[in-house]
Amino acid sequence: MSLKVQALRKRYGTRQVLDGIDFEVIPHDIHAIVGVSGSGKSTILRIIAGLDTSDEGEVFWNHRSLLKVPAHKRRVTMLSQSALLFPHLTVGENVTLATRSRSREQAERWLNVVRLGDRYDAEVHELSGGEQQRVSLARALAAEPEVLLLDEPFTNLDPNLKFDLQRFIRDLVKELDLTAVLVTHDREEAMLMADRVTLLESGKVTSTGTAKELYESAPGFGDFLMIDGELRPLSDVMVSEAVGEPVRLMKKIYRFGQSFGEYHFEDGRSVMLPTHESFQVGTMYRIKRKEG
Ligand code: ADP
Ligand code: MG
């Protein structure tokens, strides 16, 4: 059930936006495509979803050409930056429309999944931005996709909501055994959410690998710390100032893959934290200056 993108090329006018893109998404992975704005990320997703065509190349799902399947028959749905709900329909009607059987019961089921089970009859404008994005997710899931395409869906959310929704979507993709492609310009987001990462530059793939491999080989992925068995960006972890003094971890944590031992602070200080143990929020730890 892997999703394989092969030698994808796309030109708009004189601009070669995709210049031979290859990557493979392992089933049930969240695969991040990371690149600056204008690097062609959305174009890749639109081609996979059938909202745009490629000039050359192929996309395979289950070893079959996906590009030959009409868009509405692809088991692929996309979640974008804006929730794009119909404002004249209720929350629930927006989701019902997306279900294969146009069933209220199914829609309620998906609203329950995104923890909005009691908002079926609410008007769209009564919901917060984060809630609307969850409705949008319910709508995407209601179509029963095998592949979920996430086009920077957290961009317009405030930091706390963003963090909650990142975690929520990651857990959901794993729980529902979906395969997801997340495009983002945010390397920290890729580290937090993705199993594998592909870097995109000027329409070409520059590297691809596990999140940890990319973290170690490419700059700009932020500083992370394993706490309570989960990986957190250092920016979310508050420690006391004084080196050698006990520090208290102040923030609740996310998932964890592996920790990396050395942490750089904004003021140029770098510290070692033990990597063999899991940290607990609210507990005191000592940090010490890195040797050399
Ligand atoms: P990203 O999502 O990485 O920001 P896009 O895939 O949206 O990048 O766009 C890549 C480039 O292709 C941009 O320079 C954009 O202006 C151009 N582009 C995207 N869609 C179209 C289109 N329909 N017509 C012309 N140019 C387009
Ligand atoms: Mg885009």
Side-chain angles (χ1 to χ4, degrees):
M1 303 279 272
S2 79
L3 179 78
K4 200 167 179 181
V5 170
Q6 213 169 64
L8 211 57
R9 295 171 68 83
K10 176 74 180 177
R11 176 189 288 271
Y12 287 117
T14 56
R15 187 142 183 246
Q16 192 72 45
V17 173
L18 303 180
D19 195 8
I21 299 290
D22 294 273
F23 63 89
E24 184 167 0
V25 181
I26 293 169
H28 311 314
D29 257 12
I30 298 180
H31 192 114
I33 309 284
V34 178
V36 298
S37 172
S39 58
K41 305 181 297 293
S42 297
T43 302
I44 295 173
L45 293 194
R46 284 202 310 273
I47 292 170
I48 296 173
L51 302 172
D52 205 340
T53 55
S54 65
D55 300 333
E56 285 173 52
E58 255 302 353
V59 179
F60 296 100
W61 173 241
N62 272 337
H63 309 292
R64 286 219 186 106
S65 167
L66 194 63
L67 300 187
K68 294 194 177 76
V69 178
H72 68 281
K73 288 196 173 160
R74 297 182 196 182
R75 304 288 299 275
V76 172
T77 55
M78 185 136 92
L79 191 63
S80 316
Q81 272 177 36
S82 342
L84 299 172
L85 301 171
F86 292 118
H88 59 287
L89 300 179
T90 65
V91 163
E93 285 164 352
N94 267 281
V95 181
T96 298
L97 261 187
T99 61
R100 296 165 120 201
S101 51
R102 301 280 190 277
S103 131
R104 174 174 178 134
E105 201 186 328
Q106 283 294 315
E108 279 172 342
R109 185 181 143 221
W110 289 113
L111 281 172
N112 268 327
V113 168
V114 301
R115 295 196 221 104
L116 290 169
D118 55 344
R119 306 307 296 277
Y120 190 98
D121 293 312
E123 299 290 329
V124 169
H125 67 82
E126 293 173 317
L127 269 53
S128 70
E131 286 170 337
Q132 289 188 19
Q133 199 53 304
R134 266 150 61 204
V135 175
S136 192
L137 177 63
R139 183 179 60 181
L141 297 172
E144 299 176 47
E146 293 170 334
V147 180
L148 188 62
L149 304 176
L150 303 165
D151 192 354
E152 316 212 42
F154 312 108
T155 305
N156 295 323
L157 301 175
D158 75 55
N160 281 332
L161 266 179
K162 179 170 164 168
F163 172 65
D164 287 348
L165 203 61
Q166 283 169 335
R167 176 179 191 164
F168 183 73
I169 290 184
R170 186 186 155 83
D171 291 349
L172 209 59
V173 167
K174 296 296 171 185
E175 207 178 298
L176 299 175
D177 271 347
L178 298 172
T179 299
V181 185
L182 164 73
V183 311
T184 179
H185 63 277
D186 181 345
R187 292 181 173 217
E188 282 200 9
E189 179 170 294
M191 282 301 294
L192 279 176
M193 291 194 67
D195 302 294
R196 293 186 157 258
V197 179
T198 291
L199 294 185
L200 198 65
E201 222 174 276
S202 312
K204 287 192 161 81
V205 170
T206 54
S207 32
T208 186
T210 63
K212 182 167 185 282
E213 283 163 358
L214 266 287
Y215 181 92
E216 287 172 342
S217 66
F221 280 97
D223 292 312
F224 287 82
L225 178 58
M226 187 193 316
I227 301 170
D228 286 352
E230 294 174 328
L231 187 65
R232 291 297 301 144
L234 201 57
S235 54
D236 276 0
V237 178
M238 284 168 60
V239 296
S240 71
E241 282 301 298
V243 169
E245 291 301 305
V247 296
R248 191 187 299 276
L249 297 176
M250 300 302 289
K251 256 202 156 178
K252 184 61 190 158
I253 309 313
Y254 198 67
R255 78 182 168 111
F256 197 48
Q258 263 167 305
S259 65
F260 307 102
E262 179 185 341
Y263 300 95
H264 301 272
F265 290 87
E266 270 174 14
D267 63 2
R269 212 152 45 94
S270 98
V271 297
M272 294 291 287
L273 286 159
T275 56
H276 57 278
E277 62 186 71
S278 180
F279 294 87
Q280 303 297 322
V281 170
T283 304
M284 306 294 277
Y285 297 96
R286 273 174 205 286
I287 56 176
K288 63 178 191 209
R289 206 174 284 276
K290 192 189 160 235
E291 308 295 333

